[in-house]
Amino acid sequence: MARQNRGAIESEIDRIRSLGLEELRGEWRRLYHGEPPRISRDLLVLALGYRLQEIAHGGLGKSTRRKLQTLAKALRTTGRVAPTPSLSLKPGARLMREWHGRTHTVTVTEDGFEYAGMSYPSLTKIAQKITGAHWSGPRFFGLPAAVGAGRPNQGERDG
């Protein structure tokens, strides 16, 4: 069924590519339920192709929409946006931090982290063990906040 659906979408996109500017604007009204923006014909074709795929397969997820809204707000406010740092911790990687004259080493494992011969689910637990106070584990080890929450490579928030 997915193959058949894909073929139908491709045929519809081919049809859209053959339309003139006024016909494309009519398709925009039909698919977006609003007036088309004043953009080039090529951009209209691309946007309509996207909309067809969005209707057939579903749109962006909530978290992606939220992230885009956040980026748009930053762009409106500051005139620029910065990419989110991306870092993936692979099993076997070692993190080191000196604290009060002692070097602490953490090894990334398949399901968490190992420190001083014990397994931990998050870097925050390790940072708390080392300092005796609540710290953001990723921040303590100098990593972006999205790394090191639970198991490696998941990009969850640390807590």
Side-chain angles (χ1 to χ4, degrees):
M1 182 170 144
R3 188 88 167 130
Q4 188 178 28
N5 193 17
R6 181 178 174 178
I9 293 170
E10 287 175 356
S11 295
E12 186 65 7
I13 290 173
D14 285 342
R15 183 187 71 78
I16 284 176
R17 282 189 187 116
S18 71
L19 298 178
L21 188 57
E22 284 310 310
E23 293 168 312
L24 288 171
R25 289 180 178 149
E27 285 296 307
W28 182 283
R29 290 180 190 96
R30 181 176 71 84
L31 294 172
Y32 282 98
H33 307 290
E35 286 303 307
R38 291 282 177 196
I39 57 178
S40 72
R41 181 188 181 286
D42 289 343
L43 286 177
L44 279 172
V45 168
L46 290 172
L48 292 168
Y50 174 84
R51 182 68 178 142
L52 289 171
Q53 293 174 75
E54 181 182 45
I55 290 167
H57 301 292
L60 299 172
K62 285 182 183 179
S63 64
T64 303
R65 285 195 312 265
R66 274 194 306 270
K67 180 65 176 171
L68 288 171
Q69 288 170 344
T70 301
L71 291 171
K73 183 177 179 182
L75 182 61
R76 283 191 304 270
T77 305
T78 66
R80 51 185 273 244
V81 293
T84 303
S86 175
L87 179 64
S88 177
L89 295 176
K90 308 261 188 262
R94 295 173 71 188
L95 306 172
M96 298 175 73
R97 167 71 195 259
E98 186 174 315
W99 181 256
H100 292 301
R102 183 169 168 227
T103 301
H104 300 272
T105 303
V106 172
T107 302
V108 179
T109 63
E110 288 290 334
D111 53 350
F113 304 91
E114 182 180 305
Y115 168 70
M118 294 184 62
S119 292
Y120 293 86
S122 74
L123 289 174
T124 295
K125 301 279 187 208
I126 297 170
Q128 195 167 9
K129 176 115 175 116
I130 292 169
T131 65
H134 180 74
W135 271 77
S136 159
R139 182 174 293 152
F140 180 77
F141 285 95
L143 302 172
V147 173
R151 286 172 281 166
N153 299 325
Q154 288 187 335
E156 298 171 355
R157 292 237 174 247
D158 199 40

